[in-house]
Amino acid sequence: MDKLEKFILDNKRDFDESRASEKGWKELDEKMTPQRENWSILWKVAAVLFFATTVALVFSDVPSESPVQITESSEDSIEEFFVQLIDYKREEYLALANEADSEELFDDLVELDSAYVSLKMSYEQLESEELLEAMLENLQLRMYILNEQIEMLKNGGTSDEEVYHSS
Amino acid sequence: MEAKAINIHVDLIERAKGNDREAQFDLYRNYSAAMYNTALRITHNAALAEDVLQEAFLNAFQSLAYYRGDASFGSWLKRIVINKAISLSKKESRWEIREDDSFGDFEEEVDISSGYDVDHVKRAIGDLPDGFRTVLSLYLLEGYDHREISGILNIAESTSKTQYKRAKERLRSQLAKEMNHG
């Protein structure tokens, strides 16, 4: 260990002296209440859709020209499979929808995406089965939302009819 | 039986898992200062470090049900803070590791250890490029080894070692310069 390293280690405590502003907890407290409600609604929706949608969406709704293929059964390849499928569905939706509708829908998808990133981060730390399930449900929910919107546009409706906003 | 990390806040953690807001506040009070400093060292930006702190605690409280106590709560939380700090900094395009970060000649180590002071060293660490600052902070101040750092930053272990060595050289040279110019 050289002198600089030793100096820093000997004075480690003094390197932790910066303080966050006082409003930190208050803002966090405010954020936590609605956040929890959103999540619980989200998980309820996901749970209801889980069985009803998985098989149908994943295996029968993929057009034959879809580039998506399952090659392995590892967690990563399942994730990759869904992500490709979501991208594919996204493109399909974009081809049908107008800009304003797309923006609204994609805002929601981005929220789900960031929830997914949080789940994945925790999963990498903890490797818990429940987290993995929640991750899968998150991916399935995004698929479901996209599919519903695409179906509606194909049937001449508009996405303002709010299939998934109705709650 | 699985080895569990020793937690000094077992009771608080259990209560926080049950969404006991008071327990969550106590955890926040106990850990926020250290976590803020960790975030600040990576982001080098006070406002961003505060965002990191909030999001990390939010994330931690939401995932607390899945925390099984295999690592201490502090180190579990710290990993969330570090991951969040890196991802938010990258999103703001403020942060990158440049493999070829070099800075020309630096002076041989001058014995100025007696003259080091914390504020100088802190400022000089803050002025380091992102990759240097982060690797040096993770290694020296957060106590990770290069294997762990390579995992956290998704870089090769050898890159972590090189970045650390260069970071130290740059820091030393910067401090020597400051000393020479009073």
Side-chain angles (χ1 to χ4, degrees):
Chain A
M1 189 188 298
D2 62 37
K3 285 170 181 157
L4 181 57
E5 285 171 321
K6 188 171 181 322
F7 175 82
I8 293 174
L9 289 174
D10 286 348
N11 295 281
K12 212 167 170 177
R13 195 176 281 263
D14 295 333
F15 282 83
D16 269 351
E17 277 192 332
S18 301
R19 290 289 172 267
S21 63
E22 295 291 325
K23 61 184 194 308
W25 169 257
K26 202 170 160 281
E27 284 181 8
L28 181 61
D29 191 27
E30 281 163 12
K31 266 189 195 170
M32 276 197 290
T33 313
Q35 190 81 12
R36 241 189 355 251
E37 281 163 9
N38 283 342
W39 272 56
S40 99
I41 291 166
L42 205 63
W43 296 144
K44 274 180 203 157
V45 175
V48 170
L49 301 175
F50 187 88
F51 291 106
T53 57
T54 310
V55 176
L57 291 183
V58 174
F59 296 106
S60 64
D61 204 30
V62 184
S64 53
E65 71 272 22
S66 163
V68 181
Q69 282 179 339
I70 297 185
T71 49
E72 301 161 48
S73 60
S74 70
E75 287 144 19
D76 280 349
S77 69
I78 291 171
E79 174 182 71
E80 204 188 323
F81 170 73
F82 267 104
V83 169
Q84 282 181 36
L85 206 53
I86 289 167
D87 280 345
Y88 182 81
K89 287 284 169 191
R90 216 179 115 103
E91 292 299 316
E92 199 183 343
Y93 175 81
L94 270 176
L96 297 165
N98 65 42
E99 207 174 309
D101 287 342
S102 310
E103 249 180 43
E104 198 185 343
L105 176 67
F106 290 152
D107 280 349
D108 290 350
L109 292 176
V110 163
E111 260 190 45
L112 277 165
D113 196 30
S114 84
Y116 182 82
V117 170
S118 303
L119 286 167
K120 189 170 183 188
M121 232 168 65
S122 307
Y123 176 69
E124 279 165 4
Q125 284 262 296
L126 304 166
E127 301 199 334
S128 100
E129 281 289 313
E130 292 101 310
L131 278 172
L132 196 59
E133 272 172 34
M135 283 160 66
L136 272 174
E137 285 168 8
N138 176 299
L139 293 168
Q140 285 168 332
L141 183 58
R142 276 187 271 173
M143 275 295 299
Y144 172 81
I145 290 170
L146 278 166
N147 268 302
E148 282 297 303
Q149 298 295 305
I150 290 167
E151 276 312 303
M152 204 151 52
L153 289 174
K154 277 183 182 166
N155 296 330
T158 72
S159 52
D160 288 330
E161 283 172 35
E162 305 287 44
V163 158
Y164 69 99
H165 282 298
S166 57
S167 62
Chain B
M1 188 192 277
E2 262 180 62
K4 296 278 177 189
I6 298 164
N7 272 310
I8 49 170
H9 297 118
V10 179
D11 176 51
L12 276 185
I13 294 165
E14 280 310 309
R15 280 168 46 217
K17 275 187 188 180
N19 274 327
D20 178 333
R21 195 50 60 86
E22 208 179 307
Q24 289 174 339
F25 174 63
D26 282 347
L27 284 176
Y28 181 85
R29 210 163 36 89
N30 277 299
Y31 289 95
S32 59
M35 297 303 149
Y36 175 71
N37 280 281
T38 298
L40 189 58
R41 281 192 279 271
I42 294 173
T43 59
H44 194 43
N45 174 295
L48 199 58
E50 296 211 7
D51 289 348
V52 168
L53 191 67
Q54 282 210 359
E55 286 199 23
F57 268 98
L58 194 61
N59 202 202
F61 289 144
Q62 282 167 348
S63 317
L64 204 52
Y66 306 113
Y67 168 65
R68 299 252 161 85
D70 299 329
S72 75
F73 178 75
S75 55
W76 180 75
L77 183 61
K78 192 187 269 186
R79 275 303 290 269
I80 296 178
V81 168
I82 289 169
N83 288 347
K84 200 59 106 182
I86 291 166
S87 75
L88 279 194
S89 302
K90 277 183 177 166
K91 207 156 119 191
E92 300 269 316
S93 309
R94 328 172 42 91
W95 195 96
E96 61 177 329
I97 289 191
R98 295 196 297 268
E99 297 272 345
D100 61 342
D101 234 327
S102 57
F103 56 97
D105 296 333
F106 58 90
E107 293 158 45
E108 288 297 313
E109 179 168 15
V110 188
D111 184 10
I112 51 169
S113 54
S114 54
Y116 285 145
D117 84 73
V118 172
D119 285 341
H120 268 131
V121 177
K122 250 167 114 168
R123 206 170 42 239
I125 291 176
D127 289 340
L128 290 173
D130 300 328
F132 284 178
R133 189 180 66 250
T134 302
V135 172
L136 185 121
S137 301
L138 290 178
Y139 187 83
L140 266 186
L141 293 162
E142 316 302 348
Y144 293 105
D145 62 28
H146 287 297
R147 192 184 51 78
E148 291 169 315
I149 295 170
S150 75
I152 292 170
L153 297 175
N154 203 16
I155 55 177
E157 200 173 325
S158 57
T159 305
S160 174
K161 286 179 184 163
T162 317
Q163 291 268 320
Y164 177 67
K165 190 168 163 279
R166 289 184 187 166
K168 249 185 356 180
E169 286 165 356
R170 168 85 71 109
L171 186 61
R172 214 179 272 134
S173 133
Q174 185 61 34
L175 287 166
K177 233 182 264 168
E178 278 190 30
M179 296 294 290
N180 290 340
H181 296 100

